Amino acid sequence: MRLLYVLSILIYTVLSYKVSYENYKVYKVHLKDNAAKENFLLIHKQIPHLDIWGENHVTRTLDVMVSPKEENKFTELLKMYGIPQEMAVNNVESVLKDSLSQAETRSGEFNWTSYHNYDVVYAWLDSLAELYPKNVTTFIAGYSHLGLPIKGIRIQLKENATRVALIDSALHAREWISVATSTYIANEFLTTKNETLKAAAAEIIWYMLPIVNPDGYNYTFFVDRLHRKNLQINATVNCSSYTGGNGIGIDLNRNFAYQWMANGGASDWPCSTQYAGPYPFSSPEARAFRSFLEGIGKNLQLYLTFHSYGQYILFPYGHTVNPIDNYYEQYTVGRMAADAIESYYGKKYIVGNIAEGVYLSTGGSDDWIKYTYQTRLVFCYELRDDGYYTFLLPPDQIIPTAQEVLASIPVLVQQLIRFDNLTFTRNSTSKN
Ligand code: 0X9
Ligand code: ZN
């Protein structure tokens, strides 16, 4: 496994140069109504290389990266359809250079003032198990396409804790802030002096998978900072001329087996940002996730999956705007979490069902968990920011982002406890 991985990385490094985004631009495109959205889809069909970075429902804008080769065609088409645009990033490469120079890739002391590659994160997870042998164990959920371990930790602070939660990050490779945030939270669970947080953390047996997509994540450090998917190469369609979100690989957040490929919430084109894979669970990473869940799924009460960017707290499902059974619970608890976040540094997070909050998207890990295990609280946090630095969030925003997200954790735990108390009260009153 390990040898296979080393060989593959070697081959990659030899064959691929570091992807350059010289003169690539990001445009903010204003889509004022559904007709404009439809027209934009027509443009996207004509220029499939476009990399859609994110969507903001408040400002009704899309962030779209375009190559210098296609920029003219893109702006002409926008003009033709009467879609207003403004340039958000003039040269992606120069923003990238700044952000990469601040990424710490070699082993060293772990911190949250820079971003770290998987080997540094994994070494740090191991060090937690050594430092806190009574509370922390590490495990391997499975292996990536290139044979990298998908390593996790289990944190239990109180002997008689029974509730189980899972937090994961980096299903999408380029969303570095997700990894920084989940590791920050793990560290706080073990070291905090804050009584509220301490008490909340102790109520739960926490499982964490900080890097679900280690191949893709590693690739963003050395080859293409904007890679999104895993690194599985499609046998029939060659996507190697594509970069960023459209590069090779399967979108892990479209590869899970609930409503897979339904309602246009994913793509069957292998070079699409949202490529769902040839069949559900076709990626080893999603399969590893599934087999890990076989162990903890039926006891799971809370699942948090961290992505970026956009500042949303989303909940299932992604194929429909129809409310799920416990919509009211999910919405109100999500709202409370967003309020806790906002009260920290004033950042606003939008709360809603996936399909209404962002866009139709199917095959997500969250939807699959909700459907398969009826996990009571399932949230996808789209972390900072709201479209300025996008995926390239500067390292000086890691700690503030992680702190505000951490502030929402006790809220979630307290509500889980309240649910249990409510159930108890209801049962006892119905007996009387
Ligand atoms: O497209 C996605 O998977 C998410 N946005 S991202 O920029 N992080 O890629 C939106 C997630 C909504 N879907 C689910 N949570 N299932
Ligand atoms: Zn994501």
Side-chain angles (χ1 to χ4, degrees):
M1 278 293 200
R2 176 96 200 153
L3 183 66
L4 182 70
Y5 169 70
V6 172
L7 278 178
S8 315
I9 282 295
L10 258 172
I11 292 166
Y12 265 114
T13 330
V14 173
L15 292 184
S16 50
Y17 54 97
K18 194 149 199 156
V19 172
S20 164
Y21 288 94
E22 198 59 46
N23 292 324
Y24 277 62
K25 302 206 167 29
V26 178
Y27 280 93
K28 252 188 212 311
V29 175
H30 294 260
L31 301 175
K32 63 175 186 328
D33 51 24
N34 280 345
K37 272 194 173 179
E38 297 290 322
N39 285 334
F40 185 81
L41 285 179
L42 295 176
I43 297 176
H44 196 180
K45 278 224 170 81
Q46 292 181 59
I47 316 179
H49 274 79
L50 294 177
D51 187 356
I52 314 292
W53 280 17
E55 188 166 355
N56 187 319
H57 274 242
V58 178
T59 54
R60 291 174 175 250
T61 52
L62 268 189
D63 298 337
V64 185
M65 181 171 73
V66 61
S67 70
K69 234 172 50 203
E70 285 155 330
E71 189 187 351
N72 271 345
K73 186 175 174 190
F74 181 58
T75 49
E76 285 299 316
L77 283 169
L78 287 174
K79 205 154 129 198
M80 193 179 109
Y81 285 108
I83 299 175
Q85 44 82 0
E86 76 211 66
M87 199 191 290
V89 181
N90 180 32
N91 182 4
V92 173
E93 185 66 18
S94 59
V95 185
L96 274 183
K97 277 200 181 115
D98 288 351
S99 112
L100 278 172
S101 67
Q102 293 155 321
E104 173 72 64
T105 57
R106 276 170 305 134
S107 299
E109 202 184 313
F110 202 72
N111 58 40
W112 290 271
T113 49
S114 58
Y115 294 104
H116 304 285
N117 197 8
Y118 83 95
D119 50 342
V120 182
V121 173
Y122 282 7
W124 181 73
L125 296 179
D126 291 338
S127 76
L128 288 184
E130 273 170 38
L131 210 58
Y132 305 98
K134 278 206 198 99
N135 305 110
V136 180
T137 48
T138 60
F139 61 90
I140 289 173
Y143 292 86
S144 67
H145 173 63
L146 295 178
L148 273 187
I150 301 170
K151 192 178 270 198
I153 50 169
R154 177 190 189 278
I155 302 179
Q156 180 169 2
L157 299 167
K158 195 170 80 174
E159 216 167 288
N160 60 353
T162 52
R163 298 179 180 87
V164 176
L166 170 64
I167 300 180
D168 69 29
S169 39
L171 265 89
H172 289 144
R174 60 191 174 186
E175 299 166 11
W176 286 5
I177 185 60
S178 69
V179 178
T181 302
S182 62
T183 51
Y184 182 90
I185 288 174
N187 189 55
E188 286 294 315
F189 284 168
L190 293 162
T191 58
T192 186
K193 302 266 181 298
N194 175 311
E195 291 304 325
T196 312
L197 179 61
K198 231 189 209 171
E203 287 297 329
I204 308 279
I205 300 169
W206 300 94
Y207 289 88
M208 293 193 168
L209 290 170
I211 308 175
V212 179
N213 177 8
D215 295 348
Y217 189 68
N218 192 37
Y219 199 72
T220 60
F221 276 78
F222 298 114
V223 183
D224 180 355
R225 170 66 184 90
L226 293 172
H227 192 81
R228 165 181 167 100
K229 301 182 277 180
N230 75 353
L231 288 190
Q232 240 167 317
I233 292 169
N234 188 277
T236 49
V237 182
N238 183 355
C239 304
S240 57
S241 68
Y242 291 83
T243 57
N246 298 325
I248 57 165
I250 294 170
D251 182 353
L252 299 184
N253 214 30
R254 299 291 181 284
N255 195 233
F256 286 76
Y258 179 66
Q259 295 285 334
W260 182 83
M261 278 295 292
N263 291 0
S267 174
D268 60 3
W269 180 50
C271 314
S272 164
T273 324
Q274 307 194 353
Y275 177 45
Y279 51 88
F281 288 114
S282 47
S283 66
E285 294 84 1
R287 286 200 298 274
F289 192 96
R290 174 180 63 184
S291 67
F292 170 63
L293 261 293
E294 276 164 14
I296 65 161
K298 65 177 192 320
N299 298 321
L300 194 67
Q301 294 193 20
L302 170 67
Y303 171 54
L304 298 180
T305 181
F306 291 160
H307 286 253
S308 74
Y309 58 90
Q311 295 173 202
Y312 291 93
I313 294 183
L314 303 168
F315 54 86
Y317 288 116
H319 70 290
T320 173
V321 294
N322 290 340
I324 41 168
D325 287 351
N326 75 333
Y327 181 94
Y328 180 73
E329 264 175 18
Q330 286 264 182
Y331 181 80
T332 45
V333 177
R335 186 66 260 159
M336 292 166 81
D339 289 346
I341 290 176
E342 189 176 346
S343 67
Y344 217 85
Y345 288 117
K347 294 291 177 200
K348 289 191 190 304
Y349 278 57
I350 294 168
V351 181
N353 148 303
I354 294 163
E356 70 181 349
V358 273
Y359 37 72
L360 282 171
S361 76
T362 53
S365 63
D366 40 12
D367 281 4
W368 176 77
I369 284 196
K370 186 74 176 179
Y371 177 74
T372 310
Y373 296 108
Q374 275 87 50
T375 304
R376 195 143 185 183
L377 292 179
V378 172
F379 293 109
C380 168
Y381 278 36
E382 292 279 356
L383 306 174
R384 288 195 197 184
D385 60 8
D386 59 3
Y388 188 76
Y389 289 108
T390 68
F391 302 112
L392 307 173
L393 193 72
D396 63 6
Q397 289 202 39
I398 296 175
I399 291 177
T401 305
Q403 281 174 327
E404 69 199 8
V405 170
L406 181 69
S408 72
I409 302 283
V411 172
L412 302 174
V413 174
Q414 284 153 12
Q415 291 308 308
L416 278 180
I417 295 170
R418 188 180 67 93
F419 292 156
D420 289 349
N421 293 342
L422 275 180
T423 313
F424 174 75
T425 317
R426 278 202 200 117
N427 285 347
S428 56
T429 35
S430 63
K431 271 186 217 128
N432 290 335

